[in-house]
Amino acid sequence: MGLGDLQHLLQNRVRDPANDAAIATWLKREYPAIARDAKHEGATIYWGDEMGLRSDHVTGTSYAPVGQTPVVRATGQRFGCSMISAITNRGQLVFRVFHGTFRAPMFVDFMRRLRQQAGGKVYLIVDGNPVHRSRVAKDFVAAHADEIRLIQLPGYGPELNPDELLNHDVKTNALGKSRPQNRAEMMTAVRRHLHRRQKQPHIIRNLFQERHVRYAA
């Protein structure tokens, strides 16, 4: 990541000297060291995140005759689901769509599946969600230190995570275009979209070309 990209990233966020310093340290020292360690160990770096989805989320483009307000048709019911995903700059994607609260056992199960599918050591980079910092998660990682390493992003730096762009893609292209009428339809639409993305690694790779996450490409 060049100096210009770093300046652009820091200028386009709420300014806080402590946060800016932490992000600068991550970009200049911490992440480069992580990348070197991963290369030395033959590990794959995954970027992970969770997201809640709601039926009343409105996205996409609507049309109407000139002078009339566009109207988006949607169900009057309120429902939702959640997803957890992890991506690599090589275009790999692992995900799980679920209903209910995101808790430590579910995160551990996801990490277990992730390391099995990766076929080698995994470096998983996530935010500071309390589930990621839970004793259950830490114990699992400690017990499988030769297979997985869990790394936390700086606080207040969600824009550093390329997986946030996948979240946006899901909201726009899975929900915004399908307009599910109930939770089952919503979960099916999200799974279908993510399965499609698994077969389109070039789209996942392209997420890493956005300026604020290009450092991870």
Side-chain angles (χ1 to χ4, degrees):
M1 186 179 203
L3 179 59
D5 288 340
L6 174 58
Q7 291 174 337
H8 174 82
L9 177 63
L10 296 180
Q11 289 170 359
N12 287 274
R13 63 193 312 278
V14 176
R15 296 306 300 271
D16 181 304
N19 294 341
D20 287 354
I23 289 175
T25 298
W26 170 264
L27 295 173
K28 291 180 178 180
R29 295 204 297 268
E30 293 181 15
Y31 182 73
I34 290 167
R36 287 194 298 270
D37 289 347
K39 183 177 181 180
H40 177 72
E41 291 196 273
T44 301
I45 299 176
Y46 280 84
W47 303 81
D49 197 30
E50 305 82 36
M51 174 178 65
L53 298 160
R54 291 172 53 88
S55 58
D56 53 5
H57 174 74
V58 177
T59 188
T61 303
S62 298
Y63 301 90
V66 176
Q68 296 185 27
T69 302
V71 176
V72 178
R73 295 184 180 276
T75 175
Q77 302 179 54
R78 290 187 177 182
F79 51 86
C81 68
S82 299
M83 59 172 271
I84 178 172
S85 59
I87 60 175
T88 76
N89 58 16
R90 301 173 187 172
Q92 297 158 306
L93 163 62
V94 178
F95 71 89
R96 178 176 177 179
V97 179
F98 61 94
H99 169 53
T101 304
F102 179 59
R103 299 187 186 279
M106 181 177 293
F107 181 49
V108 167
D109 182 65
F110 181 79
M111 288 193 289
R112 182 179 293 110
R113 292 169 54 201
L114 178 61
R115 66 184 178 83
Q116 291 173 347
Q117 294 185 39
K121 186 164 185 176
V122 167
Y123 281 30
L124 178 59
I125 301 176
V126 294
D127 62 21
N129 186 307
V131 170
H132 302 154
R133 296 182 281 108
S134 66
R135 174 55 57 189
V136 173
K138 290 179 179 179
D139 287 348
F140 173 81
V141 172
H144 300 87
D146 57 335
E147 297 176 307
I148 189 166
R149 177 180 170 186
L150 189 61
I151 300 161
Q152 187 175 324
L153 283 162
Y156 305 102
E159 69 271 24
L160 297 171
N161 191 345
D163 205 24
E164 291 279 355
L165 297 171
L166 178 67
N167 292 343
H168 179 74
D169 171 60
V170 170
K171 287 182 177 180
T172 300
N173 296 305
L175 295 189
K177 295 181 179 179
S178 65
R179 307 296 183 199
Q181 299 301 302
N182 53 58
R183 179 178 291 115
E185 287 187 9
M186 174 182 282
M187 296 178 74
T188 296
V190 173
R191 289 191 182 104
R192 183 185 299 117
H193 181 76
L194 290 170
H195 280 304
R196 185 182 305 117
R197 287 292 183 252
Q198 284 181 322
K199 298 176 183 178
Q200 299 170 318
H202 63 285
I203 292 180
I204 302 299
R205 289 195 298 268
N206 284 343
L207 298 179
F208 289 80
Q209 297 307 311
E210 291 292 330
R211 188 172 185 179
H212 58 291
V213 295
R214 198 178 299 160
Y215 78 94

